[in-house]
Structure formats: C-alpha cells, structure tokens
Coordinates of all heavy atoms in Angstrom, one line a residue:
M1118 N 137.9 20.9 148.8 CA 138.0 19.8 147.9 C 137.4 18.5 148.5 O 137.5 18.3 149.6 CB 139.5 19.5 147.6 CG 140.2 20.6 146.9 SD 139.7 20.8 145.1 CE 140.6 22.2 144.7
S1119 N 136.7 17.8 147.6 CA 136.1 16.6 148.1 C 137.1 15.5 148.2 O 138.2 15.5 147.6 CB 135.0 16.1 147.2 OG 135.6 15.5 146.0
A1120 N 136.8 14.4 148.9 CA 137.7 13.3 149.2 C 137.9 12.5 147.9 O 138.9 11.8 147.8 CB 137.1 12.4 150.2
T1121 N 137.0 12.7 146.9 CA 137.2 11.9 145.7 C 137.9 12.7 144.6 O 138.1 12.2 143.5 CB 135.8 11.6 145.1 OG1 135.0 12.8 145.0 CG2 135.0 10.6 146.0
A1122 N 138.4 13.9 144.9 CA 139.1 14.7 143.9 C 140.4 14.0 143.5 O 141.0 13.3 144.2 CB 139.5 16.0 144.6
C1123 N 140.7 14.1 142.2 CA 141.8 13.4 141.6 C 143.1 14.2 142.0 O 143.1 15.3 142.5 CB 141.7 13.4 140.1 SG 141.9 15.0 139.3
A1124 N 144.2 13.6 141.7 CA 145.5 14.2 142.0 C 145.7 15.5 141.3 O 146.4 16.4 141.9 CB 146.6 13.2 141.7
H1125 N 145.2 15.6 140.1 CA 145.4 16.9 139.4 C 144.7 18.0 140.1 O 145.2 19.1 140.2 CB 144.8 16.8 138.0 CG 145.3 15.7 137.1 ND1 144.7 14.6 136.8 CD2 146.6 15.6 136.6 CE1 145.4 13.8 136.0 NE2 146.6 14.4 135.9
L1126 N 143.4 17.7 140.5 CA 142.6 18.8 141.2 C 143.2 19.1 142.6 O 143.3 20.2 143.0 CB 141.2 18.3 141.3 CG 140.4 18.2 140.0 CD1 139.0 17.5 140.3 CD2 140.3 19.5 139.3
S1127 N 143.6 18.1 143.3 CA 144.1 18.3 144.7 C 145.5 19.0 144.6 O 146.0 19.6 145.6 CB 144.2 17.0 145.5 OG 144.8 16.0 144.8
A1128 N 146.2 18.9 143.5 CA 147.5 19.6 143.3 C 147.4 21.1 143.2 O 148.4 21.8 143.3 CB 148.3 19.0 142.2
I1129 N 146.2 21.6 142.9 CA 146.0 23.0 142.6 C 145.7 23.8 143.9 O 144.8 23.5 144.6 CB 144.8 23.2 141.6 CG1 145.2 22.7 140.2 CG2 144.4 24.7 141.5 CD1 144.1 22.6 139.2
S1130 N 146.6 24.7 144.2 CA 146.4 25.5 145.4 C 145.9 26.9 145.1 O 145.1 27.5 145.8 CB 147.8 25.6 146.1 OG 148.8 26.1 145.3
T1131 N 146.3 27.5 143.9 CA 145.8 28.8 143.5 C 145.2 28.6 142.1 O 145.8 28.1 141.2 CB 147.0 29.8 143.4 OG1 147.7 29.8 144.6 CG2 146.4 31.2 143.1
V1132 N 143.9 29.0 142.1 CA 143.2 28.8 140.8 C 143.4 30.0 139.9 O 143.3 31.2 140.3 CB 141.6 28.7 141.1 CG1 140.9 28.6 139.8 CG2 141.4 27.4 141.9
K1133 N 143.9 29.7 138.7 CA 144.1 30.8 137.7 C 142.8 31.3 137.2 O 141.9 30.5 136.7 CB 144.9 30.2 136.5 CG 146.4 29.9 136.9 CD 147.1 29.4 135.6 CE 148.5 29.2 135.8 NZ 148.8 27.9 136.5
G1134 N 142.7 32.6 137.1 CA 141.5 33.2 136.5 C 141.8 33.7 135.1 O 142.9 33.7 134.7
P1135 N 140.8 34.2 134.4 CA 141.0 34.7 133.1 C 141.7 36.0 133.0 O 141.4 36.9 133.8 CB 139.6 34.9 132.5 CG 138.7 35.1 133.7 CD 139.4 34.3 134.9
A1136 N 142.7 36.2 132.1 CA 143.4 37.4 132.0 C 142.4 38.4 131.3 O 142.4 39.6 131.6 CB 144.6 37.2 131.1
K1137 N 141.7 37.9 130.3 CA 140.7 38.7 129.6 C 139.4 37.8 129.5 O 139.5 36.6 129.4 CB 141.1 39.0 128.2 CG 142.1 40.1 128.0 CD 142.3 40.4 126.6 CE 143.2 41.6 126.3 NZ 143.4 41.8 124.9
R1138 N 138.3 38.4 129.6 CA 137.0 37.7 129.5 C 136.7 37.4 128.0 O 135.6 37.9 127.5 CB 135.9 38.4 130.2 CG 135.5 37.6 131.4 CD 134.5 38.3 132.3 NE 135.0 38.4 133.6 CZ 135.2 37.4 134.4 NH1 135.0 36.1 134.0 NH2 135.7 37.5 135.6
E1139 N 137.5 36.7 127.3 CA 137.2 36.3 125.9 C 138.0 35.0 125.6 O 139.0 34.7 126.2 CB 137.7 37.5 125.0 CG 139.1 37.8 125.1 CD 139.5 39.1 124.3 OE1 138.6 39.9 124.2 OE2 140.6 39.1 123.9
C1140 N 137.5 34.3 124.6 CA 138.2 33.1 124.1 C 139.3 33.6 123.1 O 139.0 34.2 122.1 CB 137.2 32.2 123.4 SG 138.1 30.8 122.6
L1141 N 140.5 33.2 123.5 CA 141.7 33.6 122.7 C 141.5 33.2 121.2 O 141.8 33.9 120.3 CB 142.9 33.0 123.3 CG 144.3 33.4 122.7 CD1 144.6 34.8 123.2 CD2 145.3 32.4 123.1
E1142 N 141.0 32.0 121.0 CA 141.0 31.4 119.7 C 139.7 31.9 118.9 O 139.8 32.2 117.7 CB 140.9 29.9 119.7 CG 142.2 29.2 120.3 CD 143.4 29.5 119.5 OE1 143.3 29.6 118.2 OE2 144.5 29.6 120.0
C1143 N 138.6 32.1 119.6 CA 137.4 32.7 118.9 C 137.7 34.1 118.4 O 137.2 34.5 117.4 CB 136.2 32.6 119.8 SG 135.5 31.0 120.0
V1144 N 138.4 34.9 119.2 CA 138.7 36.2 118.8 C 139.5 36.2 117.5 O 139.2 37.1 116.6 CB 139.5 36.9 120.0 CG1 140.1 38.2 119.5 CG2 138.5 37.2 121.2
K1145 N 140.4 35.3 117.4 CA 141.3 35.2 116.2 C 140.4 34.9 114.9 O 140.7 35.4 113.9 CB 142.3 34.1 116.3 CG 143.5 34.4 117.2 CD 144.5 33.3 117.1 CE 145.4 33.3 118.3 NZ 146.1 32.0 118.5
I1146 N 139.4 34.1 115.1 CA 138.6 33.7 113.9 C 137.3 34.4 113.8 O 136.5 34.1 112.9 CB 138.4 32.2 113.9 CG1 137.6 31.7 115.1 CG2 139.7 31.4 113.8 CD1 137.3 30.2 115.1
G1147 N 137.0 35.3 114.7 CA 135.8 36.1 114.7 C 134.6 35.3 115.0 O 133.5 35.6 114.5
S1148 N 134.7 34.3 115.9 CA 133.6 33.4 116.3 C 133.0 33.9 117.6 O 133.6 34.8 118.3 CB 134.0 32.0 116.3 OG 132.9 31.1 116.5
N1149 N 132.0 33.2 118.0 CA 131.3 33.5 119.3 C 131.5 32.4 120.3 O 131.7 31.2 119.8 CB 129.8 33.8 119.1 CG 129.6 35.0 118.3 OD1 130.2 36.1 118.5 ND2 128.8 34.9 117.2
W1150 N 131.3 32.6 121.6 CA 131.4 31.6 122.6 C 130.2 31.7 123.5 O 129.5 32.8 123.5 CB 132.7 31.6 123.3 CG 132.9 32.9 124.0 CD1 132.5 33.3 125.2 CD2 133.6 34.0 123.4 NE1 132.9 34.6 125.5 CE2 133.6 35.1 124.4 CE3 134.3 34.3 122.2 CZ2 134.1 36.3 124.2 CZ3 134.9 35.5 122.1 CH2 134.8 36.5 123.0
V1151 N 130.0 30.7 124.3 CA 128.9 30.7 125.3 C 129.4 30.9 126.7 O 129.1 31.9 127.3 CB 128.1 29.3 125.2 CG1 127.0 29.3 126.3 CG2 127.5 29.1 123.8
H1152 N 130.3 30.1 127.1 CA 131.0 30.2 128.4 C 132.5 30.1 128.2 O 133.0 29.6 127.3 CB 130.5 29.2 129.4 CG 129.1 29.2 129.7 ND1 128.2 28.2 129.5 CD2 128.3 30.2 130.2 CE1 127.0 28.6 129.8 NE2 127.0 29.8 130.3
L1153 N 133.2 30.6 129.2 CA 134.7 30.6 129.2 C 135.3 29.7 130.3 O 134.7 29.6 131.4 CB 135.2 32.0 129.3 CG 134.9 33.0 128.2 CD1 135.3 34.4 128.5 CD2 135.5 32.6 126.9
R1154 N 136.4 29.1 129.9 CA 137.1 28.2 130.8 C 138.6 28.6 130.8 O 139.1 29.0 129.7 CB 137.0 26.8 130.4 CG 135.6 26.3 130.1 CD 134.8 26.2 131.4 NE 133.4 25.8 131.2 CZ 132.3 26.5 131.5 NH1 132.5 27.6 132.1 NH2 131.1 26.0 131.4
T1155 N 139.3 28.5 131.9 CA 140.7 28.9 132.0 C 141.5 27.6 132.3 O 141.3 26.9 133.3 CB 141.0 29.9 133.1 OG1 140.2 31.1 132.7 CG2 142.4 30.3 133.1
C1156 N 142.5 27.3 131.4 CA 143.4 26.2 131.6 C 144.2 26.4 132.8 O 144.9 27.5 132.9 CB 144.3 26.0 130.4 SG 145.5 24.7 130.6
Q1157 N 144.3 25.5 133.7 CA 145.0 25.7 135.0 C 146.5 25.3 134.8 O 147.3 25.5 135.7 CB 144.4 24.8 136.1 CG 143.0 25.3 136.4 CD 143.0 26.8 136.9 OE1 143.6 27.1 137.9 NE2 142.4 27.6 136.1
E1158 N 146.9 24.8 133.6 CA 148.3 24.5 133.4 C 149.0 25.7 132.8 O 150.0 26.1 133.3 CB 148.3 23.3 132.4 CG 149.7 22.7 132.2 CD 150.0 21.8 133.4 OE1 149.1 21.3 134.0 OE2 151.2 21.6 133.7
C1159 N 148.4 26.3 131.8 CA 149.1 27.4 131.1 C 148.4 28.8 131.2 O 148.9 29.8 130.8 CB 149.3 27.1 129.6 SG 147.8 26.9 128.7
G1160 N 147.1 28.7 131.8 CA 146.4 30.0 132.0 C 145.6 30.5 130.9 O 145.0 31.6 131.0
V1161 N 145.6 29.8 129.7 CA 144.9 30.4 128.6 C 143.4 30.2 128.8 O 142.9 29.3 129.4 CB 145.3 29.6 127.3 CG1 144.8 28.1 127.3 CG2 144.8 30.3 126.0
T1162 N 142.6 31.2 128.4 CA 141.1 31.2 128.5 C 140.5 30.9 127.2 O 140.8 31.6 126.2 CB 140.7 32.5 129.1 OG1 141.2 32.7 130.4 CG2 139.1 32.6 129.2
L1163 N 139.6 29.9 127.2 CA 139.0 29.4 125.9 C 137.6 29.0 126.2 O 137.1 29.1 127.3 CB 139.8 28.1 125.5 CG 141.3 28.4 125.1 CD1 142.0 27.1 125.0 CD2 141.4 29.2 123.8
C1164 N 136.8 28.7 125.1 CA 135.4 28.5 125.2 C 135.0 27.1 125.6 O 135.7 26.1 125.3 CB 134.7 29.0 123.9 SG 135.3 28.2 122.5
C1165 N 133.8 27.0 126.1 CA 133.3 25.7 126.7 C 132.7 24.8 125.6 O 132.6 25.1 124.5 CB 132.2 26.0 127.7 SG 130.7 26.6 126.9
D1166 N 132.2 23.6 126.1 CA 131.6 22.7 125.1 C 130.3 23.0 124.6 O 129.7 22.4 123.7 CB 131.5 21.3 125.8 CG 132.9 20.6 125.8 OD1 133.8 21.1 125.2 OD2 133.0 19.5 126.3
N1167 N 129.6 24.1 125.2 CA 128.4 24.5 124.6 C 128.6 25.6 123.5 O 127.7 26.0 122.8 CB 127.5 25.2 125.7 CG 127.0 24.2 126.7 OD1 126.7 23.0 126.3 ND2 126.9 24.6 127.9
S1168 N 129.9 26.0 123.3 CA 130.3 26.9 122.3 C 130.5 26.2 121.0 O 130.9 25.0 121.1 CB 131.5 27.7 122.7 OG 131.3 28.2 124.0
P1169 N 130.3 26.8 119.9 CA 130.5 26.1 118.6 C 131.9 25.5 118.4 O 132.0 24.4 117.8 CB 130.2 27.1 117.5 CG 129.7 28.3 118.2 CD 129.8 28.2 119.7
N1170 N 132.9 26.1 118.9 CA 134.3 25.7 118.6 C 134.9 24.8 119.7 O 136.0 24.2 119.5 CB 135.1 26.9 118.3 CG 134.7 27.6 117.0 OD1 134.7 27.0 116.0 ND2 134.2 28.8 117.2
R1171 N 134.4 24.8 120.9 CA 134.8 24.0 122.0 C 136.4 24.1 122.2 O 137.1 23.1 122.3 CB 134.4 22.5 121.8 CG 133.0 22.4 121.6 CD 132.6 20.9 121.4 NE 131.1 20.8 121.4 CZ 130.5 19.7 121.4 NH1 131.1 18.5 121.4 NH2 129.2 19.7 121.3
H1172 N 136.9 25.3 122.2 CA 138.3 25.4 122.2 C 139.0 24.9 123.5 O 140.1 24.5 123.4 CB 138.7 26.9 122.0 CG 138.5 27.4 120.6 ND1 137.8 28.5 120.2 CD2 139.1 26.8 119.4 CE1 137.9 28.6 118.9 NE2 138.6 27.6 118.4
A1173 N 138.3 25.0 124.6 CA 138.9 24.6 125.9 C 139.2 23.1 125.8 O 140.3 22.6 126.2 CB 138.1 24.9 127.1
T1174 N 138.2 22.3 125.3 CA 138.4 20.8 125.2 C 139.4 20.5 124.2 O 140.3 19.6 124.4 CB 137.0 20.2 124.9 OG1 136.2 20.4 126.0 CG2 137.2 18.7 124.7
K1175 N 139.4 21.2 123.1 CA 140.4 20.9 122.0 C 141.8 21.2 122.6 O 142.8 20.4 122.3 CB 140.2 21.8 120.8 CG 139.1 21.3 119.9 CD 138.9 22.2 118.7 CE 137.6 21.9 118.0 NZ 137.2 22.9 117.0
H1176 N 142.0 22.3 123.3 CA 143.3 22.6 123.9 C 143.7 21.5 124.9 O 144.9 21.1 124.9 CB 143.1 24.0 124.6 CG 144.3 24.3 125.5 ND1 145.5 24.8 124.9 CD2 144.5 24.2 126.8 CE1 146.4 25.0 125.9 NE2 145.8 24.7 127.1
A1177 N 142.8 21.1 125.8 CA 143.1 20.1 126.8 C 143.6 18.8 126.1 O 144.6 18.2 126.6 CB 141.9 19.8 127.7
R1178 N 142.9 18.4 125.1 CA 143.3 17.1 124.4 C 144.6 17.3 123.7 O 145.5 16.4 123.7 CB 142.2 16.8 123.3 CG 140.8 16.6 123.9 CD 140.4 15.1 123.8 NE 139.4 14.8 124.8 CZ 138.1 15.0 124.7 NH1 137.7 15.5 123.6 NH2 137.2 14.7 125.6
A1179 N 144.8 18.4 123.0 CA 146.0 18.6 122.2 C 147.2 18.9 123.0 O 148.3 18.4 122.7 CB 145.8 19.8 121.2
S1180 N 147.1 19.6 124.1 CA 148.2 19.9 125.0 C 148.4 19.0 126.2 O 149.4 19.1 126.9 CB 148.0 21.4 125.5 OG 147.7 22.2 124.5
H1181 N 147.4 18.1 126.4 CA 147.5 17.3 127.6 C 147.5 18.1 128.9 O 148.2 17.8 129.8 CB 148.6 16.3 127.6 CG 148.5 15.4 126.4 ND1 147.5 14.4 126.3 CD2 149.2 15.3 125.2 CE1 147.7 13.8 125.1 NE2 148.6 14.3 124.4
H1182 N 146.8 19.2 128.9 CA 146.6 20.0 130.1 C 145.3 19.5 130.7 O 144.3 19.7 130.2 CB 146.6 21.5 129.8 CG 147.9 22.1 129.3 ND1 148.0 23.3 128.7 CD2 149.1 21.5 129.3 CE1 149.3 23.5 128.4 NE2 150.0 22.4 128.7
P1183 N 145.4 18.9 131.9 CA 144.3 18.2 132.4 C 143.1 19.0 133.0 O 142.0 18.6 132.9 CB 144.9 17.3 133.5 CG 146.1 18.0 134.0 CD 146.6 18.7 132.7
V1184 N 143.4 20.2 133.6 CA 142.4 20.8 134.4 C 142.0 22.2 133.9 O 142.9 23.0 133.6 CB 142.9 20.9 135.9 CG1 141.8 21.6 136.8 CG2 143.2 19.6 136.5
I1185 N 140.7 22.5 133.8 CA 140.2 23.8 133.6 C 139.4 24.3 134.7 O 138.9 23.5 135.5 CB 139.3 23.8 132.3 CG1 138.2 22.8 132.4 CG2 140.1 23.6 131.0 CD1 137.0 23.0 131.4
A1186 N 139.3 25.6 134.8 CA 138.4 26.2 135.8 C 137.4 27.1 135.0 O 137.7 27.6 133.9 CB 139.2 27.2 136.7
S1187 N 136.2 27.2 135.6 CA 135.2 28.1 135.0 C 135.7 29.5 135.1 O 136.3 29.9 136.1 CB 133.9 28.0 135.7 OG 133.0 29.0 135.1
A1188 N 135.6 30.3 134.0 CA 136.0 31.7 134.0 C 134.8 32.6 134.1 O 134.9 33.8 133.8 CB 136.8 32.0 132.8
E1189 N 133.6 32.0 134.4 CA 132.4 32.7 134.5 C 132.3 33.4 135.9 O 132.6 32.7 136.9 CB 131.2 31.8 134.3 CG 131.1 31.2 132.9 CD 131.1 32.3 131.8 OE1 130.2 33.2 132.0 OE2 131.8 32.3 130.8
P1190 N 131.8 34.6 135.9 CA 131.6 35.3 137.2 C 130.7 34.5 138.1 O 129.7 34.0 137.6 CB 131.0 36.7 136.8 CG 131.3 36.8 135.4 CD 131.4 35.5 134.8
G1191 N 131.1 34.3 139.3 CA 130.2 33.6 140.3 C 130.3 32.1 140.3 O 129.8 31.4 141.1
E1192 N 131.1 31.6 139.3 CA 131.2 30.1 139.2 C 132.6 29.8 139.8 O 133.6 30.4 139.4 CB 131.1 29.6 137.8 CG 129.7 29.7 137.3 CD 129.6 29.0 135.9 OE1 130.5 28.3 135.5 OE2 128.5 29.1 135.4
R1193 N 132.7 28.9 140.7 CA 133.9 28.5 141.3 C 134.1 27.0 141.3 O 133.8 26.3 142.3 CB 134.0 29.0 142.8 CG 134.0 30.5 142.8 CD 133.9 31.0 144.3 NE 135.0 30.6 145.1 CZ 136.2 31.2 145.2 NH1 136.4 32.3 144.5 NH2 137.1 30.7 146.0
W1194 N 134.5 26.5 140.1 CA 134.7 25.0 140.0 C 135.8 24.7 139.1 O 136.2 25.5 138.2 CB 133.4 24.3 139.6 CG 132.7 24.7 138.4 CD1 131.6 25.5 138.3 CD2 133.1 24.4 137.0 NE1 131.3 25.7 137.0 CE2 132.1 25.1 136.2 CE3 134.1 23.7 136.4 CZ2 132.2 25.0 134.8 CZ3 134.1 23.6 135.0 CH2 133.2 24.2 134.2
L1195 N 136.4 23.5 139.3 CA 137.4 23.0 138.4 C 137.0 21.7 137.8 O 136.1 21.0 138.4 CB 138.7 22.7 139.3 CG 139.3 23.9 140.0 CD1 140.1 23.4 141.2 CD2 140.1 24.7 139.1
Y1196 N 137.5 21.4 136.7 CA 137.2 20.1 136.0 C 138.5 19.4 135.5 O 139.3 20.1 134.8 CB 136.2 20.3 134.9 CG 135.9 19.1 134.1 CD1 135.1 18.1 134.6 CD2 136.4 18.9 132.8 CE1 134.9 16.9 133.9 CE2 136.2 17.7 132.1 CZ 135.4 16.7 132.7 OH 135.1 15.6 132.0
C1197 N 138.6 18.2 135.8 CA 139.8 17.4 135.3 C 139.3 16.5 134.1 O 138.4 15.7 134.3 CB 140.4 16.5 136.4 SG 141.6 15.4 135.7
Y1198 N 139.9 16.7 132.9 CA 139.5 15.9 131.8 C 139.9 14.4 131.9 O 139.0 13.5 131.7 CB 140.2 16.4 130.5 CG 139.5 17.7 130.0 CD1 139.9 18.9 130.2 CD2 138.3 17.5 129.2 CE1 139.3 20.1 129.8 CE2 137.7 18.7 128.7 CZ 138.1 19.9 129.0 OH 137.5 21.0 128.5
P1199 N 141.1 14.0 132.2 CA 141.5 12.6 132.3 C 140.6 11.8 133.3 O 140.3 10.7 133.1 CB 143.0 12.6 132.6 CG 143.4 14.0 132.8 CD 142.3 14.9 132.4
H1200 N 140.3 12.5 134.4 CA 139.5 11.8 135.4 C 138.0 12.1 135.4 O 137.2 11.5 136.2 CB 140.0 12.1 136.8 CG 141.4 11.6 137.1 ND1 142.5 12.3 137.2 CD2 141.8 10.3 137.2 CE1 143.6 11.5 137.4 NE2 143.2 10.3 137.4
D1201 N 137.6 13.0 134.5 CA 136.2 13.4 134.4 C 135.7 13.8 135.8 O 134.6 13.3 136.3 CB 135.3 12.2 133.8 CG 133.9 12.7 133.5 OD1 133.7 13.9 133.3 OD2 133.0 11.9 133.5
A1202 N 136.5 14.6 136.5 CA 136.2 14.9 137.9 C 135.9 16.4 138.1 O 136.7 17.2 137.5 CB 137.4 14.5 138.8
F1203 N 134.9 16.7 138.8 CA 134.6 18.1 139.2 C 135.0 18.4 140.6 O 134.9 17.5 141.5 CB 133.1 18.4 139.0 CG 132.6 18.8 137.7 CD1 132.1 17.9 136.8 CD2 132.8 20.1 137.3 CE1 131.7 18.3 135.6 CE2 132.4 20.5 136.0 CZ 131.8 19.6 135.1
A1204 N 135.4 19.6 140.9 CA 135.6 20.0 142.3 C 135.2 21.5 142.4 O 135.5 22.3 141.5 CB 137.0 19.8 142.7
E1205 N 134.5 21.8 143.5 CA 134.2 23.2 143.7 C 135.3 23.8 144.7 O 135.9 23.0 145.4 CB 132.8 23.4 144.4 CG 131.7 23.0 143.4 CD 130.3 23.4 143.9 OE1 130.2 24.0 144.9 OE2 129.4 22.9 143.2
Y1206 N 135.5 25.0 144.6 CA 136.5 25.6 145.5 C 136.0 26.9 146.2 O 135.0 27.4 145.8 CB 137.9 25.8 144.8 CG 137.8 26.9 143.7 CD1 138.1 28.2 144.0 CD2 137.4 26.5 142.4 CE1 138.0 29.2 143.0 CE2 137.4 27.5 141.4 CZ 137.7 28.8 141.7 OH 137.6 29.7 140.7
Ligands
LIG1712 ZN1 142.8 14.2 137.3
LIG1713 ZN1 136.7 29.5 121.4
LIG1714 ZN1 146.8 24.8 128.8

C-alpha cells in the first residue's frame, strides 16, 4: 500500500475476489460487460465503467460501499470511490 492510500484502502487486509466471473446484474437483464469489479464491502461482483451498465459504480453510489477491486485475472488493484484513490496489492 502506498503512503497516500486512504483509510478505506488501508483498512482492507484481505481482498475479496469474485465468487463467479460474471456481473450479477447484467446476467439478470441479459446484458454484456467489459471488465468485472468486486465490491470489498459486500463481495458482489459487477461490471466496470467501460461496460454499458456500469453496475459497480451504480452499486457503490447507491450502497455507499467505498472500495472495489478488479476481478480481472492478473489485475491486483483496489479503488476507493469517495477518495478517487487507487492502490495495488
Ligand atoms: Zn477512501
Ligand atoms: Zn453489469
Ligand atoms: Zn457492496
């Protein structure tokens, strides 16, 4: 973790990964996604901002869950919405 990491990011000791490699909400509506993100508060996996439905960001705003992790293979980073902060792990 970098020295500039926010309190949300530095509070995370174990990063939650995706239970399934799919966007929970896109599957319900039969839509597609580009990349997947996992909410570090509740563990739900949703789609990124390059996806048409941007479910991860909608979830973060609606639920006030601050931090997501990339659910893409080989990517190891976290992002905090309220602080607009990235951290690799
Ligand atoms: Zn934060
Ligand atoms: Zn989605
Ligand atoms: Zn959540």
Side-chain angles (χ1 to χ4, degrees):
M1118 293 290 174
S1119 77
T1121 54
C1123 72
H1125 303 110
L1126 293 174
S1127 51
I1129 291 170
S1130 52
T1131 307
V1132 177
K1133 290 182 174 74
K1137 281 187 176 178
R1138 247 174 236 297
E1139 59 187 30
C1140 172
L1141 187 76
E1142 296 298 327
C1143 282
V1144 165
K1145 282 184 198 165
I1146 62 175
S1148 187
N1149 297 310
W1150 57 86
V1151 179
H1152 296 121
L1153 294 171
R1154 310 290 181 236
T1155 301
C1156 176
Q1157 295 302 294
E1158 194 76 24
C1159 64
V1161 68
T1162 295
L1163 298 165
C1164 56
C1165 72
D1166 280 358
N1167 293 326
S1168 307
N1170 296 296
R1171 302 181 179 190
H1172 284 128
T1174 294
K1175 283 180 187 163
H1176 170 78
R1178 298 250 158 84
S1180 311
H1181 300 287
H1182 291 169
V1184 180
I1185 55 166
S1187 175
E1189 295 300 313
E1192 290 189 8
R1193 294 172 62 85
W1194 55 259
L1195 300 160
Y1196 176 72
C1197 171
Y1198 282 98
H1200 290 112
D1201 189 26
F1203 272 100
E1205 295 190 8
Y1206 64 91

